[in-house]
Amino acid sequence: MKTPAQNAPTTTDRDTGAGLDTSRIRAITLDLDDTLWPIWPTIARAEQALAGWLAQHAPATATLGADRQTLREVREHTGRSRPDLAHDLSALRRESIRALLLRAGDDPALAEPAFEVFFAERQRVDLFEDARPALQRLGARFPIVALSNGNADVQRVGIGAHFVASISAREFGVGKPDARIFHAGAQAAGVAPAEVLHIGDDAHLDGVGALNAGMQLAWVNRGGHPWDHAPLQPHITLTDLRVLCDALGL
């Protein structure tokens, strides 16, 4: 999961978009979690739905999983033992559920339907107020490619119509901040990386990754966090995506 973004520029010019070269933007790559919706309330609801399902179908596992320390140990062990799944959050979650079922003495085959309960709820997000209007305005001018390390599905979330493509770390094999996934986003949009504006909230994963990939960066800093990656700097910093749309003349 994401960690809070760190350390932001405070100059008036950058905050108002004076550092953004709008003339060379031909496409948008866009992060999802914590950029279009808050992720942790979504995950909390999904985990609650999973716990409720386990209480009915695997009560011993539900009891075991109610202990936060045990749950943390199982997840950490799964991550260490399955480094091949480092960029596949769905598979890691599924294998963690399977490991918990095994530890509790329940049928590990229940991991599949249990995960589906979690995953379905994980797609039920509450968009930030500015997200849908911004998607409509941005999508009317530019091709938009979703670029995520997470496992949200833009179609199941209900915003797929705004995207020409969606690339996840799970499908691609590497995640942000690796430049390769950003370049894949540019390729999916049919443009060069220098012609892409990446929009995302995580200063390291989105920010450093996009800048090192040769893209312009719109850093979504809803929490007023500072930026800690000098000399790299976002081209524009914003707390509301509508501000970006205005800066782009949309």
Side-chain angles (χ1 to χ4, degrees):
M1 288 298 163
K2 293 183 176 184
T3 57
Q6 304 280 318
N7 289 354
T10 58
T11 65
T12 300
D13 282 352
R14 192 164 296 284
D15 289 345
T16 57
L20 194 63
D21 183 356
T22 60
S23 67
R24 64 185 174 97
I25 300 171
R26 294 182 55 206
I28 301 288
T29 55
L30 181 62
D31 175 58
L32 301 176
D33 294 329
D34 283 333
T35 295
L36 297 181
W37 58 76
I39 183 56
W40 292 112
T42 303
I43 295 299
R45 286 197 306 268
E47 290 186 337
Q48 192 170 42
L50 171 62
W53 189 91
L54 289 172
Q56 291 184 3
H57 301 276
T61 301
T63 300
L64 191 63
D67 178 61
R68 304 304 296 178
Q69 181 61 32
T70 299
L71 191 59
R72 186 179 304 110
E73 290 173 359
V74 169
R75 289 176 178 172
E76 290 176 353
H77 175 74
T78 302
R80 289 193 304 269
S81 63
R82 294 300 305 273
D84 57 309
L85 301 179
H87 299 299
D88 189 341
L89 296 184
S90 291
L92 278 174
R93 174 73 65 166
R94 188 183 298 107
E95 291 309 305
S96 293
I97 295 170
R98 195 184 315 279
L100 195 66
L101 287 160
L102 283 167
R103 183 178 290 200
D106 285 322
D107 183 0
L110 293 173
E112 296 295 335
F115 171 75
E116 286 305 318
V117 169
F118 171 88
F119 191 64
E121 189 65 22
R122 190 261 186 271
Q123 309 306 315
R124 194 173 67 83
V125 304
D126 295 320
L127 293 168
F128 289 119
E129 183 180 353
D130 56 304
R132 197 176 296 276
L135 284 171
Q136 292 169 345
R137 292 168 69 181
L138 290 167
R141 173 80 65 84
F142 305 106
I144 306 175
V145 177
L147 213 61
S148 179
N149 283 7
N151 56 2
D153 182 326
V154 294
Q155 299 299 332
R156 292 179 68 167
V157 166
I159 56 174
H162 300 291
F163 295 88
V164 299
S166 179
I167 301 174
S168 70
R170 176 184 64 83
E171 297 164 341
F172 188 67
V174 298
K176 298 176 291 186
D178 193 299
R180 289 173 292 177
I181 194 169
F182 289 94
H183 291 165
Q187 184 176 20
V191 302
E195 297 173 312
V196 174
L197 173 66
H198 180 69
I199 306 169
D201 75 288
D202 191 290
H204 176 60
L205 299 180
D206 291 299
V208 173
L211 292 169
N212 283 340
M215 297 178 172
Q216 292 193 83
L217 170 67
W219 183 36
V220 182
N221 183 18
R222 297 181 186 275
H225 303 293
W227 175 270
D228 193 27
H229 300 285
L232 295 175
Q233 295 286 349
H235 294 83
I236 181 171
T237 299
L238 51 137
T239 59
D240 189 305
L241 291 172
R242 287 169 293 203
V243 174
L244 175 62
C245 293
D246 291 343
L248 295 174
L250 304 178

